[in-house]
Each structure stands twice: as C-alpha cells, then as structure tokens.
Amino acid sequence: MKRQQMFFTEYFQVYRPVLNRLNMLLAPHNLFHSQWGILKLLKLEGEMTSAEIALRQQVEKPSVTKIIQRLVEMNLVSVRPGTDRREKWIGLTAAGQNTVETIMAELEILYCELLNGIELEELESAIRVMESARKNLNN
C-alpha cells in the first residue's frame, strides 16, 4: 500500500472513534458534534449569519437553520435581526459561552489523552500535513 493510502487509512481509523468519544463527551450537555461545531465556531469567531456558518462548516444552509433552531431552544445561541430583513445574526448566549468553555476544558483532557506520548514536533508536523491536505481539498 502506498504511503498516501496508508495515511488516509490511519486517518479514517481514528476519525470515527474520536467522533464517538466526542459525542459521548457532549451527551451530558445534550449536544451532538454538529451542534458543537457551530457553538465552537461562534466562540472562536463571534457572531455570524447562517450563511457564513454554513460556508465555514461546509454544510447546507437548511441544515444550519435546523441546528440553530435547536440551539435557540436550548438557550445556547440567540438570533438578532440584521440590516436586511432576511439577514439574521447568530451569537452565543451567556449560557452558551459557559457551555462552550466547559466543553473545551473537557476536550482538552480528552485530546491530551489521545495524543499522549507524541512529541510536540510530531504534532506540529501532523498539523501542517492536515492543513495542506485541507487546502488541496478546497482548491
């Protein structure tokens, strides 16, 4: 098997189990990874529209709209009107901020466990590889 194939074979063998662990960590917060992705994006980037979220998360806008509705019901995000009647800005509520900070702390522990024994230089190299692959995918 070529090295490129081996790389992605290893990636796929890690991806699903990590996603399962993430969902287990999110379950007590009544969240799924798709909801978490939006909450984390809002925490890191600030308020944005559904269209911006859809673009950044690489999903369809109707999917984002559904997730946002659920997060509003959970009081984790708020929606405010924009200058255009159709435009709505989504941002974290105080409860959303607290939830994201709690989950980020829990994830830090999980990620440290998963990367135990990996040297910082190896991790930096792996990050560069994944960034390059993502850029190539988006070209």
Side-chain angles (χ1 to χ4, degrees):
M1 186 182 307
K2 292 186 178 183
R3 301 308 279 174
Q4 294 89 340
Q5 291 175 332
M6 289 179 69
F7 174 83
F8 283 102
T9 297
E10 289 298 322
Y11 167 78
F12 290 124
Q13 288 180 347
V14 168
Y15 174 76
R16 181 58 63 184
V18 169
L19 194 58
N20 290 340
R21 292 275 300 269
L22 173 62
N23 279 327
M24 286 183 353
L25 186 142
L26 295 172
H29 303 280
N30 297 312
L31 293 169
F32 295 103
H33 76 276
S34 55
Q35 296 164 323
W36 166 245
I38 291 173
L39 292 173
K40 184 174 85 172
L41 179 63
L42 293 171
K43 170 72 174 168
L44 297 175
E45 303 290 329
E47 248 187 357
M48 57 183 64
T49 65
S50 293
E52 289 174 308
I53 293 170
L55 183 65
R56 297 289 299 279
Q57 296 294 102
Q58 298 181 345
V59 296
E60 298 296 319
K61 191 174 174 225
S63 299
V64 169
T65 301
K66 239 175 120 172
I67 294 169
I68 295 298
Q69 287 172 345
R70 179 67 183 127
L71 294 173
V72 167
E73 291 170 8
M74 297 171 71
N75 192 36
L76 297 176
V77 300
S78 61
V79 178
R80 69 172 181 83
T83 54
D84 180 335
R85 181 176 66 83
R86 296 165 294 167
E87 184 180 72
K88 292 183 173 72
W89 287 90
I90 294 107
L92 291 175
T93 62
Q97 289 274 0
N98 291 337
T99 299
V100 170
E101 289 169 11
T102 298
I103 292 169
M104 286 179 122
E106 293 170 1
L107 278 174
E108 184 66 25
I109 295 166
L110 171 63
Y111 293 159
C112 285
E113 288 174 11
L114 295 176
L115 297 173
N116 185 34
I118 297 174
E119 297 294 328
L120 184 58
E121 297 81 24
E122 292 175 294
L123 186 56
E124 293 292 339
S125 177
I127 291 168
R128 283 191 303 276
V129 168
M130 296 308 289
E131 286 173 342
S132 294
R134 180 180 41 80
K135 287 175 186 171
N136 291 338
L137 184 63
N138 292 327
N139 284 339

